[in-house]
Amino acid sequence: MSSPHRTLPRDTWRASVAAVAPTGQPTTVVLTLTADESAAVLLAAGTVGLVAPHAARQFSTALLHRRNLAIPLHVGSSVLRLAVTSLAVPGAGTGGARLALVGNGWGWPLLLGPRPVRQLARVLDEAAGRCRRGW
């Protein structure tokens, strides 16, 4: 009998970042790579989507520089938008971010504090760097 949940090989790269769901409950954003290492896989709030390496780098840069951006997130046969909105306060040295999944009635805002924003930027960049070939 086959299991509906696939386990990742022990050497598969994986990273997670703390976030807060709209309900106020702690959650995580998890990144790993596709089996052929051609794209990053983002798991958050019950959604699994693919991010092209170049889009992961753009998103990383937007997070670090507190810019708003939306990139394609491939969820099944749909292409949705993963958007980041900076929550930085003008004049303040740090700020968090809001992540949202946009399209086809989807939408799960997740909140990240300043440290998780930097961590997510770092792991997105690392995931893109680990991809063997881009789309």
Side-chain angles (χ1 to χ4, degrees):
M1 178 182 341
S2 65
S3 170
H5 301 286
R6 300 186 77 155
T7 57
L8 297 171
R10 288 185 175 258
D11 61 345
T12 299
W13 178 85
R14 183 181 181 107
S16 62
V17 175
V20 177
T23 60
Q25 295 292 346
T27 188
T28 56
V29 176
V30 177
L31 282 165
T32 188
L33 301 177
T34 56
D36 65 358
E37 296 182 343
S38 65
V41 180
L42 181 130
L43 301 92
T47 302
V48 178
L50 298 179
V51 179
H54 69 276
R57 287 199 198 277
Q58 290 173 345
F59 207 75
S60 173
T61 300
L63 284 165
L64 287 176
H65 296 286
R66 299 183 191 116
R67 285 187 254 156
N68 299 340
L69 178 73
I71 60 169
L73 183 70
H74 301 264
V75 179
S77 61
S78 299
V79 179
L80 307 177
R81 305 295 286 170
L82 178 62
V84 60
T85 305
S86 175
L87 299 177
V89 177
T94 61
R98 179 182 178 269
L99 301 182
L101 188 58
V102 182
N104 297 341
W106 290 74
W108 45 251
L110 297 176
L111 299 176
L112 302 174
R115 185 173 177 203
V117 164
R118 291 188 302 274
Q119 290 172 332
L120 183 57
R122 181 182 51 79
V123 298
L124 278 165
D125 193 54
E126 185 176 348
R130 289 176 175 269
C131 289
R132 294 184 187 217
R133 58 189 176 275
W135 289 0

Short mmCIF file of all heavy atoms in Angstrom, two decimals, residues 75-133:
data_model
loop_
_atom_site.label_atom_id
_atom_site.label_comp_id
_atom_site.label_asym_id
_atom_site.label_seq_id
_atom_site.Cartn_x
_atom_site.Cartn_y
_atom_site.Cartn_z
N VAL A 75 0.59 26.69 -8.22
CA VAL A 75 -0.13 25.81 -7.29
C VAL A 75 -1.00 24.89 -8.13
O VAL A 75 -2.01 25.32 -8.69
CB VAL A 75 -1.00 26.62 -6.30
CG1 VAL A 75 -1.75 25.70 -5.36
CG2 VAL A 75 -0.14 27.61 -5.52
N GLY A 76 -0.58 23.63 -8.24
CA GLY A 76 -1.29 22.70 -9.10
C GLY A 76 -1.26 23.21 -10.52
O GLY A 76 -0.22 23.61 -11.04
N SER A 77 -2.43 23.29 -11.16
CA SER A 77 -2.49 23.79 -12.54
C SER A 77 -2.72 25.30 -12.59
O SER A 77 -2.81 25.88 -13.67
CB SER A 77 -3.59 23.07 -13.31
OG SER A 77 -4.84 23.32 -12.69
N SER A 78 -2.82 25.94 -11.44
CA SER A 78 -3.05 27.39 -11.38
C SER A 78 -1.75 28.14 -11.14
O SER A 78 -0.82 27.63 -10.52
CB SER A 78 -4.01 27.73 -10.24
OG SER A 78 -5.24 27.11 -10.42
N VAL A 79 -1.72 29.36 -11.63
CA VAL A 79 -0.62 30.26 -11.32
C VAL A 79 -1.21 31.41 -10.52
O VAL A 79 -1.98 32.21 -11.04
CB VAL A 79 0.10 30.78 -12.58
CG1 VAL A 79 1.23 31.73 -12.19
CG2 VAL A 79 0.63 29.63 -13.41
N LEU A 80 -0.88 31.45 -9.25
CA LEU A 80 -1.36 32.51 -8.36
C LEU A 80 -0.23 33.51 -8.16
O LEU A 80 0.86 33.36 -8.72
CB LEU A 80 -1.81 31.89 -7.03
CG LEU A 80 -2.83 30.76 -7.16
CD1 LEU A 80 -3.15 30.18 -5.81
CD2 LEU A 80 -4.11 31.25 -7.83
N ARG A 81 -0.46 34.51 -7.36
CA ARG A 81 0.57 35.51 -7.06
C ARG A 81 0.89 35.45 -5.57
O ARG A 81 -0.01 35.50 -4.74
CB ARG A 81 0.09 36.92 -7.41
CG ARG A 81 -0.40 37.11 -8.83
CD ARG A 81 0.62 36.95 -9.88
NE ARG A 81 1.52 38.08 -9.94
CZ ARG A 81 2.62 38.11 -10.67
NH1 ARG A 81 2.95 37.07 -11.38
NH2 ARG A 81 3.39 39.14 -10.69
N LEU A 82 2.17 35.35 -5.27
CA LEU A 82 2.64 35.45 -3.90
C LEU A 82 3.12 36.88 -3.72
O LEU A 82 4.04 37.32 -4.40
CB LEU A 82 3.78 34.47 -3.63
CG LEU A 82 4.39 34.52 -2.24
CD1 LEU A 82 3.37 34.17 -1.16
CD2 LEU A 82 5.59 33.58 -2.15
N ALA A 83 2.45 37.63 -2.88
CA ALA A 83 2.74 39.05 -2.71
C ALA A 83 3.34 39.32 -1.35
O ALA A 83 2.97 38.69 -0.35
CB ALA A 83 1.45 39.86 -2.87
N VAL A 84 4.26 40.26 -1.31
CA VAL A 84 4.83 40.73 -0.05
C VAL A 84 4.56 42.23 0.05
O VAL A 84 4.70 42.96 -0.93
CB VAL A 84 6.35 40.45 0.07
CG1 VAL A 84 7.15 41.13 -1.01
CG2 VAL A 84 6.87 40.85 1.44
N THR A 85 4.13 42.65 1.22
CA THR A 85 3.91 44.05 1.52
C THR A 85 4.73 44.37 2.75
O THR A 85 4.60 43.71 3.79
CB THR A 85 2.42 44.34 1.81
OG1 THR A 85 1.65 43.90 0.70
CG2 THR A 85 2.19 45.81 2.07
N SER A 86 5.58 45.37 2.64
CA SER A 86 6.42 45.75 3.77
C SER A 86 5.56 46.41 4.84
O SER A 86 4.67 47.21 4.55
CB SER A 86 7.49 46.73 3.30
OG SER A 86 8.23 47.19 4.40
N LEU A 87 5.86 46.08 6.08
CA LEU A 87 5.18 46.70 7.22
C LEU A 87 6.13 47.62 7.97
O LEU A 87 5.89 47.99 9.11
CB LEU A 87 4.65 45.62 8.17
CG LEU A 87 3.63 44.65 7.56
CD1 LEU A 87 3.23 43.59 8.57
CD2 LEU A 87 2.40 45.41 7.07
N ALA A 88 7.21 48.01 7.29
CA ALA A 88 8.20 48.90 7.91
C ALA A 88 7.58 50.26 8.19
O ALA A 88 6.83 50.80 7.38
CB ALA A 88 9.41 49.05 7.01
N VAL A 89 7.90 50.80 9.33
CA VAL A 89 7.44 52.13 9.71
C VAL A 89 8.49 53.14 9.25
O VAL A 89 9.67 52.96 9.54
CB VAL A 89 7.24 52.21 11.25
CG1 VAL A 89 6.82 53.60 11.66
CG2 VAL A 89 6.24 51.17 11.70
N PRO A 90 8.08 54.18 8.52
CA PRO A 90 9.07 55.17 8.08
C PRO A 90 9.87 55.72 9.26
O PRO A 90 9.31 56.05 10.30
CB PRO A 90 8.22 56.26 7.43
CG PRO A 90 6.97 55.57 7.02
CD PRO A 90 6.74 54.51 8.06
N GLY A 91 11.17 55.76 9.10
CA GLY A 91 12.05 56.25 10.16
C GLY A 91 12.50 55.18 11.13
O GLY A 91 13.45 55.37 11.88
N ALA A 92 11.83 54.03 11.12
CA ALA A 92 12.22 52.94 12.02
C ALA A 92 13.24 52.07 11.29
O ALA A 92 13.20 51.92 10.08
CB ALA A 92 11.01 52.10 12.41
N GLY A 93 14.16 51.51 12.02
CA GLY A 93 15.21 50.71 11.42
C GLY A 93 14.76 49.33 10.97
O GLY A 93 15.38 48.72 10.12
N THR A 94 13.68 48.82 11.53
CA THR A 94 13.24 47.47 11.19
C THR A 94 11.75 47.47 10.92
O THR A 94 11.04 48.41 11.26
CB THR A 94 13.53 46.48 12.33
OG1 THR A 94 12.81 46.90 13.49
CG2 THR A 94 15.01 46.40 12.63
N GLY A 95 11.30 46.40 10.35
CA GLY A 95 9.87 46.24 10.11
C GLY A 95 9.61 44.84 9.60
O GLY A 95 10.50 44.19 9.07
N GLY A 96 8.40 44.41 9.75
CA GLY A 96 8.02 43.09 9.30
C GLY A 96 7.45 43.14 7.90
O GLY A 96 7.63 44.11 7.17
N ALA A 97 6.76 42.07 7.54
CA ALA A 97 6.15 41.99 6.22
C ALA A 97 4.88 41.16 6.29
O ALA A 97 4.71 40.34 7.18
CB ALA A 97 7.13 41.39 5.21
N ARG A 98 4.03 41.38 5.32
CA ARG A 98 2.79 40.61 5.17
C ARG A 98 2.91 39.84 3.86
O ARG A 98 3.17 40.42 2.80
CB ARG A 98 1.60 41.55 5.11
CG ARG A 98 0.28 40.88 4.93
CD ARG A 98 -0.83 41.96 4.85
NE ARG A 98 -2.11 41.38 4.62
CZ ARG A 98 -2.64 41.16 3.42
NH1 ARG A 98 -1.98 41.50 2.35
NH2 ARG A 98 -3.83 40.62 3.30
N LEU A 99 2.73 38.52 3.93
CA LEU A 99 2.70 37.68 2.74
C LEU A 99 1.26 37.34 2.44
O LEU A 99 0.49 37.03 3.35
CB LEU A 99 3.47 36.38 2.96
CG LEU A 99 4.93 36.46 3.35
CD1 LEU A 99 5.52 35.06 3.48
CD2 LEU A 99 5.72 37.27 2.36
N ALA A 100 0.88 37.38 1.17
CA ALA A 100 -0.48 37.04 0.79
C ALA A 100 -0.47 36.24 -0.50
O ALA A 100 0.36 36.48 -1.38
CB ALA A 100 -1.32 38.29 0.62
N LEU A 101 -1.37 35.31 -0.60
CA LEU A 101 -1.56 34.52 -1.81
C LEU A 101 -2.78 35.10 -2.51
O LEU A 101 -3.86 35.15 -1.93
CB LEU A 101 -1.77 33.06 -1.45
CG LEU A 101 -1.79 32.08 -2.60
CD1 LEU A 101 -0.49 32.13 -3.39
CD2 LEU A 101 -2.02 30.67 -2.08
N VAL A 102 -2.60 35.55 -3.75
CA VAL A 102 -3.65 36.28 -4.44
C VAL A 102 -4.03 35.57 -5.72
O VAL A 102 -3.16 35.14 -6.48
CB VAL A 102 -3.16 37.71 -4.78
CG1 VAL A 102 -4.25 38.51 -5.45
CG2 VAL A 102 -2.66 38.41 -3.52
N GLY A 103 -5.33 35.45 -5.97
CA GLY A 103 -5.82 34.88 -7.21
C GLY A 103 -6.86 33.80 -6.98
O GLY A 103 -6.77 33.03 -6.03
N ASN A 104 -7.86 33.76 -7.84
CA ASN A 104 -8.90 32.72 -7.80
C ASN A 104 -9.55 32.58 -6.43
O ASN A 104 -9.84 31.48 -5.99
CB ASN A 104 -8.34 31.37 -8.24
CG ASN A 104 -7.86 31.37 -9.67
OD1 ASN A 104 -8.23 32.24 -10.44
ND2 ASN A 104 -7.03 30.42 -10.02
N GLY A 105 -9.76 33.68 -5.75
CA GLY A 105 -10.42 33.64 -4.45
C GLY A 105 -9.53 33.20 -3.31
O GLY A 105 -9.98 33.06 -2.18
N TRP A 106 -8.24 32.97 -3.58
CA TRP A 106 -7.31 32.59 -2.53
C TRP A 106 -6.93 33.83 -1.73
O TRP A 106 -7.09 34.93 -2.17
CB TRP A 106 -6.03 32.00 -3.12
CG TRP A 106 -6.21 30.66 -3.74
CD1 TRP A 106 -6.81 30.40 -4.94
CD2 TRP A 106 -5.78 29.41 -3.24
NE1 TRP A 106 -6.78 29.07 -5.21
CE2 TRP A 106 -6.14 28.44 -4.18
CE3 TRP A 106 -5.11 29.02 -2.09
CZ2 TRP A 106 -5.87 27.09 -4.00
CZ3 TRP A 106 -4.83 27.69 -1.92
CH2 TRP A 106 -5.22 26.74 -2.85
N GLY A 107 -6.35 33.63 -0.63
CA GLY A 107 -5.81 34.74 0.14
C GLY A 107 -5.54 34.32 1.56
O GLY A 107 -6.48 34.12 2.32
N TRP A 108 -4.30 34.13 1.87
CA TRP A 108 -3.94 33.84 3.26
C TRP A 108 -2.85 34.80 3.68
O TRP A 108 -1.71 34.62 3.35
CB TRP A 108 -3.50 32.39 3.50
CG TRP A 108 -2.54 31.77 2.51
CD1 TRP A 108 -2.83 30.81 1.62
CD2 TRP A 108 -1.13 32.02 2.34
NE1 TRP A 108 -1.72 30.46 0.90
CE2 TRP A 108 -0.66 31.19 1.32
CE3 TRP A 108 -0.22 32.88 2.95
CZ2 TRP A 108 0.66 31.18 0.89
CZ3 TRP A 108 1.10 32.87 2.52
CH2 TRP A 108 1.52 32.02 1.51
N PRO A 109 -3.21 35.82 4.36
CA PRO A 109 -2.13 36.69 4.81
C PRO A 109 -1.37 36.05 5.96
O PRO A 109 -1.97 35.51 6.88
CB PRO A 109 -2.86 37.96 5.26
CG PRO A 109 -4.22 37.50 5.61
CD PRO A 109 -4.52 36.30 4.74
N LEU A 110 -0.07 36.07 5.86
CA LEU A 110 0.80 35.64 6.94
C LEU A 110 1.67 36.82 7.33
O LEU A 110 2.11 37.58 6.47
CB LEU A 110 1.69 34.47 6.51
CG LEU A 110 1.00 33.18 6.10
CD1 LEU A 110 2.03 32.17 5.62
CD2 LEU A 110 0.20 32.61 7.26
N LEU A 111 1.91 36.99 8.61
CA LEU A 111 2.74 38.09 9.07
C LEU A 111 4.09 37.58 9.51
O LEU A 111 4.20 36.52 10.15
CB LEU A 111 2.06 38.81 10.23
CG LEU A 111 0.70 39.44 9.91
CD1 LEU A 111 0.08 40.03 11.17
CD2 LEU A 111 0.84 40.48 8.84
N LEU A 112 5.12 38.33 9.14
CA LEU A 112 6.49 38.01 9.53
C LEU A 112 7.06 39.19 10.30
O LEU A 112 6.89 40.33 9.88
CB LEU A 112 7.37 37.76 8.31
CG LEU A 112 6.96 36.66 7.34
CD1 LEU A 112 7.87 36.68 6.12
CD2 LEU A 112 7.03 35.32 8.02
N GLY A 113 7.75 38.90 11.38
CA GLY A 113 8.47 39.94 12.11
C GLY A 113 9.77 40.28 11.40
O GLY A 113 10.13 39.65 10.40
N PRO A 114 10.52 41.27 11.91
CA PRO A 114 11.77 41.68 11.26
C PRO A 114 12.78 40.54 11.10
O PRO A 114 13.38 40.39 10.03
CB PRO A 114 12.32 42.76 12.20
CG PRO A 114 11.13 43.27 12.92
CD PRO A 114 10.19 42.11 13.06
N ARG A 115 12.98 39.75 12.13
CA ARG A 115 13.96 38.66 12.02
C ARG A 115 13.51 37.58 11.03
O ARG A 115 14.29 37.17 10.16
CB ARG A 115 14.22 38.06 13.40
CG ARG A 115 15.29 37.01 13.38
CD ARG A 115 15.64 36.55 14.77
NE ARG A 115 16.62 35.49 14.73
CZ ARG A 115 16.79 34.63 15.67
NH1 ARG A 115 16.09 34.71 16.79
NH2 ARG A 115 17.69 33.68 15.56
N PRO A 116 12.24 37.11 11.09
CA PRO A 116 11.79 36.15 10.08
C PRO A 116 11.84 36.70 8.64
O PRO A 116 12.07 35.95 7.71
CB PRO A 116 10.36 35.83 10.50
CG PRO A 116 10.37 36.02 11.98
CD PRO A 116 11.27 37.21 12.19
N VAL A 117 11.65 38.01 8.47
CA VAL A 117 11.78 38.59 7.12
C VAL A 117 13.20 38.36 6.60
O VAL A 117 13.39 37.92 5.47
CB VAL A 117 11.43 40.11 7.13
CG1 VAL A 117 11.93 40.79 5.87
CG2 VAL A 117 9.93 40.30 7.27
N ARG A 118 14.19 38.67 7.42
CA ARG A 118 15.58 38.46 7.01
C ARG A 118 15.87 36.98 6.78
O ARG A 118 16.58 36.61 5.84
CB ARG A 118 16.54 39.04 8.06
CG ARG A 118 16.50 40.57 8.11
CD ARG A 118 17.57 41.14 9.01
NE ARG A 118 17.53 40.66 10.39
CZ ARG A 118 16.78 41.19 11.36
NH1 ARG A 118 16.02 42.23 11.11
NH2 ARG A 118 16.81 40.69 12.57
N GLN A 119 15.32 36.11 7.64
CA GLN A 119 15.53 34.67 7.48
C GLN A 119 14.90 34.16 6.19
O GLN A 119 15.52 33.38 5.46
CB GLN A 119 14.94 33.91 8.67
CG GLN A 119 15.69 34.11 9.95
CD GLN A 119 14.96 33.49 11.14
OE1 GLN A 119 13.74 33.38 11.15
NE2 GLN A 119 15.72 33.11 12.15
N LEU A 120 13.68 34.61 5.88
CA LEU A 120 13.02 34.16 4.66
C LEU A 120 13.78 34.66 3.44
O LEU A 120 13.96 33.91 2.47
CB LEU A 120 11.56 34.64 4.62
CG LEU A 120 10.76 34.17 3.40
CD1 LEU A 120 10.74 32.64 3.29
CD2 LEU A 120 9.34 34.72 3.46
N ALA A 121 14.27 35.87 3.48
CA ALA A 121 15.07 36.40 2.36
C ALA A 121 16.31 35.52 2.16
O ALA A 121 16.64 35.15 1.03
CB ALA A 121 15.47 37.84 2.63
N ARG A 122 16.96 35.16 3.24
CA ARG A 122 18.17 34.35 3.16
C ARG A 122 17.87 32.96 2.59
O ARG A 122 18.57 32.48 1.70
CB ARG A 122 18.83 34.22 4.54
CG ARG A 122 20.12 33.41 4.52
CD ARG A 122 20.72 33.25 5.91
NE ARG A 122 19.79 32.78 6.91
CZ ARG A 122 19.42 31.51 7.07
NH1 ARG A 122 19.88 30.58 6.28
NH2 ARG A 122 18.58 31.18 8.03
N VAL A 123 16.81 32.30 3.08
CA VAL A 123 16.53 30.94 2.62
C VAL A 123 15.98 30.93 1.19
O VAL A 123 16.23 29.98 0.45
CB VAL A 123 15.64 30.14 3.60
CG1 VAL A 123 16.32 29.97 4.93
CG2 VAL A 123 14.27 30.73 3.76
N LEU A 124 15.26 31.97 0.78
CA LEU A 124 14.82 32.06 -0.61
C LEU A 124 16.03 32.17 -1.54
O LEU A 124 16.10 31.51 -2.57
CB LEU A 124 13.90 33.26 -0.82
CG LEU A 124 12.44 33.07 -0.44
CD1 LEU A 124 11.74 34.41 -0.34
CD2 LEU A 124 11.73 32.16 -1.43
N ASP A 125 16.97 33.01 -1.15
CA ASP A 125 18.18 33.18 -1.95
C ASP A 125 18.99 31.87 -1.98
O ASP A 125 19.50 31.47 -3.03
CB ASP A 125 19.02 34.33 -1.38
CG ASP A 125 20.11 34.75 -2.34
OD1 ASP A 125 19.79 35.06 -3.50
OD2 ASP A 125 21.28 34.75 -1.93
N GLU A 126 19.07 31.21 -0.83
CA GLU A 126 19.79 29.93 -0.77
C GLU A 126 19.10 28.88 -1.63
O GLU A 126 19.75 28.13 -2.36
CB GLU A 126 19.91 29.45 0.66
CG GLU A 126 20.75 28.20 0.79
CD GLU A 126 20.97 27.75 2.23
OE1 GLU A 126 20.67 28.51 3.17
OE2 GLU A 126 21.45 26.61 2.39
N ALA A 127 17.76 28.82 -1.58
CA ALA A 127 17.02 27.85 -2.39
C ALA A 127 17.27 28.11 -3.87
O ALA A 127 17.52 27.17 -4.64
CB ALA A 127 15.53 27.94 -2.09
N ALA A 128 17.24 29.37 -4.28
CA ALA A 128 17.49 29.71 -5.68
C ALA A 128 18.90 29.28 -6.08
O ALA A 128 19.11 28.76 -7.19
CB ALA A 128 17.30 31.20 -5.91
N GLY A 129 19.85 29.48 -5.20
CA GLY A 129 21.23 29.09 -5.48
C GLY A 129 21.42 27.59 -5.58
O GLY A 129 22.33 27.11 -6.26
N ARG A 130 20.60 26.83 -4.89
CA ARG A 130 20.70 25.38 -4.92
C ARG A 130 20.02 24.75 -6.14
O ARG A 130 20.24 23.57 -6.42
CB ARG A 130 20.11 24.77 -3.64
CG ARG A 130 20.97 25.03 -2.42
CD ARG A 130 20.27 24.49 -1.19
NE ARG A 130 21.10 24.61 -0.01
CZ ARG A 130 21.94 23.67 0.41
NH1 ARG A 130 22.04 22.53 -0.23
NH2 ARG A 130 22.66 23.86 1.49
N CYS A 131 19.19 25.53 -6.82
CA CYS A 131 18.52 25.00 -8.00
C CYS A 131 19.54 24.76 -9.12
O CYS A 131 20.41 25.59 -9.36
CB CYS A 131 17.42 25.95 -8.48
SG CYS A 131 16.01 25.99 -7.36
N ARG A 132 19.41 23.65 -9.79
CA ARG A 132 20.38 23.27 -10.83
C ARG A 132 20.16 24.00 -12.14
O ARG A 132 21.07 24.26 -12.87
CB ARG A 132 20.33 21.77 -11.06
CG ARG A 132 20.80 21.04 -9.85
CD ARG A 132 20.84 19.57 -10.09
NE ARG A 132 21.16 18.93 -8.82
CZ ARG A 132 21.91 17.87 -8.72
NH1 ARG A 132 22.42 17.32 -9.78
NH2 ARG A 132 22.16 17.34 -7.54
N ARG A 133 18.93 24.27 -12.47
CA ARG A 133 18.65 25.00 -13.70
C ARG A 133 17.33 25.76 -13.49
O ARG A 133 16.45 25.33 -12.78
CB ARG A 133 18.55 24.07 -14.89
CG ARG A 133 17.49 22.99 -14.73
CD ARG A 133 17.59 21.97 -15.86
NE ARG A 133 16.65 20.90 -15.66
CZ ARG A 133 16.86 19.83 -14.90
NH1 ARG A 133 17.99 19.70 -14.25
NH2 ARG A 133 15.95 18.89 -14.78
#
